[in-house]
């Protein structure tokens, strides 16, 4: 912006800010002239946001939103990295209100250095319906966990079943938080391929991924690998064990009982407790008797451990069946 144009912009902004009534002829005239100055006025307008009251902020944002387009987007970046939150918020508001920004240009803002990522995500959110899910997903890997959560909430509001293959392909990525968010998205789609992919995540070394996969499977009807799911009753993490109890009970698979035996005979007290808690919920007198028959040939100390667990934690049905 040359000196003369900068001088004109400053004078017009000063005139606009001095008007108490933003709809007065003088204010509207100054507004129109600022819009005619074009992109060169953007730096002066964003600077003016710092000292503007609420009503003048609205006018400045309106001017900025009309000036904003994909070609001059870089001129808004200083406003998004300003130390004054009013400047950052006003700039984001203007970009969110613009209808002349290409989706690809909006996403490029996330690549800029030293900007307010939360403010940029606000802009992205208003334009999300014009953005593709793969394009949004590609940006998730460079964000902080809190920012990733915001981005995935956006994705969740626009995700469609045709994007499932892309989500499945990303389940093998290295970023555990991204995988957890993808697992949560996939749980919306009650499909066999999704259930199989989530069951595979139960073998992850990351306990948060195992727990997230269990939670997702608990929301679906397609989970079928009850042997694998029941094995998490013996997980090394107590939260994963507790989640496994909930999921196994919810699924109530007809072959559940026989897969409780390893947990019931585990040296870990919490695993034995988890197995009996499942029995309390879905066990029948006949199925519990079948379980007892299955453990009868174990070593005496194993049988004693089983009996202690059943006696200490077992509910009325369990105790009745044992008796």
């Amino acid at each position: 912006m040359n000196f003369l144009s900068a001088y004109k912009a400053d004078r017009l902004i000063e005139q606009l800010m001095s008007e108490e009534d933003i709809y007065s002829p003088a204010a509207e005239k100054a507004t129109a002239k600022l819009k005619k100055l074009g992109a060169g006025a953007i730096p002066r307008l964003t600077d003016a946001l710092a000292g503007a009251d609420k009503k003048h902020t609205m006018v400045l944002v309106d001017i900025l939103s009309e000036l904003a387009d994909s070609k001059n987007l870089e001129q808004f970046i200083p406003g998004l990295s300003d130390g004054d939150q009013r400047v950052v918020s006003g700039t984001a508001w203007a970009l969110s209100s613009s209808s002349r920004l290409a989706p690809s240009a909006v996403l490029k803002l996330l690549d800029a250095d030293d900007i307010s990522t939360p403010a940029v995500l606000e802009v992205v959110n208003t334009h999300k319906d014009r953005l593709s899910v793969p394009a949004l997903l590609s940006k998730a890997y460079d964000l902080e966990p809190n920012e990733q959560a915001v981005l995935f909430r956006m994705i969740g509001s626009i995700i469609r079943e045709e994007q499932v293959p892309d989500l499945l392909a990303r389940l093998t990525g290295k970023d555990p938080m991204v995988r957890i968010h993808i697992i949560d998205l996939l749980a919306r789609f009650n499909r066999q391929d999704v259930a199989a992919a989530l069951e595979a995540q139960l073998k992850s070394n990351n306990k948060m991924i195992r727990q997230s996969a269990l939670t997702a499977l608990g929301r679906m009807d397609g989970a079928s690998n009850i042997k694998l799911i029941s094995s998490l009753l013996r997980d090394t993490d107590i939260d994963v064990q507790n989640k496994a109890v909930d999921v196994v009970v919810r699924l109530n698979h007809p072959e559940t009982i026989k897969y409780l035996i390893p947990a019931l005979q585990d040296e870990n007290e919490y695993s034995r407790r988890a197995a009996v808690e499942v029995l309390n919920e879905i066990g029948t007198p006949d199925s519990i008797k079948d379980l007892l028959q299955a453990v009868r040939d174990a070593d005496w100390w194993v049988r004693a451990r089983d009996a202690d667990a059943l006696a200490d934690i077992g509910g009325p049905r369990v105790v009745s069946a044992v008796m």
Side-chain angles (χ1 to χ4, degrees), residues 175-232:
D175 189 319
M177 292 309 299
V178 170
R179 288 169 65 185
I180 288 169
H181 286 299
I182 290 175
I183 287 169
D184 184 60
L185 290 176
L186 284 169
R188 302 167 181 228
F189 304 100
N190 201 14
R191 297 168 30 156
Q192 285 297 326
D193 57 344
V194 170
L198 294 179
E199 287 168 355
Q201 296 301 305
L202 297 177
K203 301 175 183 178
S204 170
N205 293 327
N206 187 303
K207 66 180 182 180
M208 293 188 298
I209 290 177
R210 297 197 302 276
Q211 187 172 349
S212 296
L214 273 172
T215 301
L217 287 166
R219 291 159 53 189
M220 301 172 61
D221 298 325
S224 60
N225 194 339
I226 191 63
K227 180 179 180 180
L228 176 60
I229 295 171
S230 297
S231 71
L232 272 77

Side-chain angles (χ1 to χ4, degrees), residues 290-310:
D290 289 341
L291 181 145
L292 292 172
Q293 290 291 331
V295 302
R296 64 184 296 181
D297 294 329
D299 292 326
W300 70 266
W301 61 85
V302 176
R303 297 198 309 274
R305 197 161 55 202
D306 296 346
D308 286 343
L310 291 166

Side-chain angles (χ1 to χ4, degrees), residues 77-299:
I77 290 177
L80 293 170
S81 57
D82 197 275
D84 192 314
Q85 186 56 42
R86 288 176 297 179
V87 176
V88 174
S89 298
T91 304
W93 184 6
L95 293 174
S96 298
S97 304
S98 175
S99 60
R100 300 165 64 192
L101 296 176
S104 58
V106 174
L107 278 181
K108 280 184 180 179
L109 286 172
L110 287 172
D111 298 328
D113 296 325
D114 301 322
I115 61 171
S116 171
T117 303
V120 172
L121 288 172
E122 285 182 33
V123 179
V124 173
N125 187 48
T126 60
H127 297 281
K128 64 186 177 185
D129 292 331
R130 301 164 55 224
L131 297 167
S132 71
V133 169
L136 288 169
L137 283 170
S138 68
K139 298 298 180 184
Y141 301 92
D142 300 322
L143 300 177
E144 296 297 319
N146 290 342
E147 297 162 352
Q148 285 179 345
V150 173
L151 185 65
F152 275 97
R153 280 198 294 271
M154 291 182 214
I155 294 172
S157 68
I158 62 172
I159 193 77
R160 298 293 181 269
E161 191 158 357
E162 53 263 31
Q163 276 97 43
V164 167
D166 188 34
L167 293 177
L168 291 174
R170 293 177 186 271
L171 268 182
T172 56
K174 293 183 179 180
D175 189 319
M177 292 309 299
V178 170
R179 288 169 65 185
I180 288 169
H181 286 299
I182 290 175
I183 287 169
D184 184 60
L185 290 176
L186 284 169
R188 302 167 181 228
F189 304 100
N190 201 14
R191 297 168 30 156
Q192 285 297 326
D193 57 344
V194 170
L198 294 179
E199 287 168 355
Q201 296 301 305
L202 297 177
K203 301 175 183 178
S204 170
N205 293 327
N206 187 303
K207 66 180 182 180
M208 293 188 298
I209 290 177
R210 297 197 302 276
Q211 187 172 349
S212 296
L214 273 172
T215 301
L217 287 166
R219 291 159 53 189
M220 301 172 61
D221 298 325
S224 60
N225 194 339
I226 191 63
K227 180 179 180 180
L228 176 60
I229 295 171
S230 297
S231 71
L232 272 77
L233 296 171
R234 306 174 68 193
D235 197 89
T236 55
D237 183 81
I238 187 66
D239 291 330
V240 175
Q241 285 184 15
N242 291 336
K243 180 56 65 175
V245 171
D246 294 339
V247 175
V248 172
V249 169
R250 181 189 178 280
L251 292 175
N252 197 7
H253 194 282
E255 296 185 354
T256 298
I257 299 301
K258 69 179 180 181
Y259 296 122
L260 296 181
I261 296 172
L264 184 63
Q265 297 183 341
D266 198 284
E267 293 184 6
N268 186 293
E269 176 188 352
Y270 293 104
S271 294
R272 299 196 299 273
R273 179 178 294 273
V276 180
E277 285 180 2
V278 173
L279 275 178
N280 285 336
E281 295 296 328
I282 66 173
T284 65
D286 287 342
S287 66
I288 296 169
K289 289 176 185 177
D290 289 341
L291 181 145
L292 292 172
Q293 290 291 331
V295 302
R296 64 184 296 181
D297 294 329
D299 292 326

